[in-house]
Amino acid sequence: MTKRNHKTETDLLLPGTERLDEKSREELVFTLKLSQIQFLIQKGHLAVADRDLADLLETAPEFPAAREDSAKTGVTLMRHYQNTKQDVETLDFFRRSSILQNNAAARWLAGFACKRLNKTPEAREHLAKSIALDSAKPEPYLALGEILETEKPGEAVRLYCCYHDRFYS
């Protein structure tokens, strides 16, 4: 085993980390980068957060919480895009993020963005998938129901009945 003669950036920023094993150091660096991205999102620097999160996801280490924590941060970014009515950016980020494809909240946000962009078939697909992934959230039922009201009123009624039974019974 060779002893390191130089300190890494992590060692300089976080004294004492030189004693961690390599896997723990990777997890620490990943967690710190994710925290930095969350800070950028909170401060409204969405484009920078988007770029940094995409870069981080390409090189994410394999440890149990990495995918889940990354997905949560991705959904947070999508929510901030949605809240600022940046629907194109919401949809673009979703499409580029493979870890969000089976995330109910991300599917709902993508569906809602598509709905506002008048991409009705894609909106229906995302909203239906969101319900299939997590039927305990009311938002996708309502958004999909609004779409179906004009296209297929009978299906909209059935969906609203399902919504009512699930959330008001």
Side-chain angles (χ1 to χ4, degrees):
M1 184 170 195
T2 60
K3 189 173 181 177
R4 283 190 267 168
N5 293 327
H6 67 286
K7 290 192 177 263
T8 66
E9 183 178 354
T10 306
D11 296 335
L12 295 172
L13 292 174
L14 300 165
T17 58
E18 63 274 357
R19 292 177 288 226
L20 295 175
D21 62 89
E22 197 60 34
K23 187 136 181 91
S24 295
R25 291 169 63 83
E26 277 183 9
E27 187 172 348
L28 177 63
V29 169
F30 177 82
T31 303
L32 289 171
K33 287 179 180 177
L34 209 52
S35 293
Q36 179 182 10
I37 292 165
Q38 291 164 349
F39 174 82
L40 291 168
I41 293 169
Q42 290 171 356
K43 295 299 181 184
H45 302 287
L46 304 183
V48 177
D50 186 317
R51 182 202 64 218
D52 290 355
L53 184 55
D55 290 346
L56 183 62
L57 294 177
E58 286 180 18
T59 61
E62 289 298 319
F63 60 89
R67 288 186 64 76
E68 183 180 333
D69 292 347
S70 300
K72 285 180 186 175
T73 301
V75 168
T76 300
L77 177 60
M78 289 178 70
R79 284 187 199 285
H80 279 267
Y81 274 144
Q82 180 198 30
N83 291 341
T84 56
K85 299 193 181 339
Q86 296 182 60
D87 297 316
V88 171
E89 290 81 358
T90 301
L91 202 50
D92 182 53
F93 181 77
F94 174 78
R95 288 174 177 157
R96 291 183 285 117
S97 301
S98 63
I99 64 163
L100 296 177
Q101 300 306 306
N102 289 314
N103 181 291
R107 283 283 180 168
W108 173 74
L109 292 165
F112 192 77
C114 287
K115 182 176 175 277
R116 290 202 302 208
L117 293 168
N118 295 316
K119 296 177 181 240
T120 306
E122 191 175 353
R124 275 195 315 268
E125 176 189 329
H126 290 308
L127 294 167
K129 179 76 172 180
S130 178
I131 292 168
L133 289 168
D134 183 0
S135 61
K137 302 282 191 257
E139 295 87 356
Y141 287 92
L142 296 174
L144 183 56
E146 288 174 8
I147 292 170
L148 293 174
E149 283 177 10
T150 55
E151 295 179 350
K152 299 176 182 177
E155 280 189 42
V157 170
R158 282 190 291 280
L159 185 67
Y160 286 140
C161 286
C162 181
Y163 166 82
H164 181 272
D165 292 347
R166 176 165 288 285
F167 299 103
Y168 293 101
S169 294

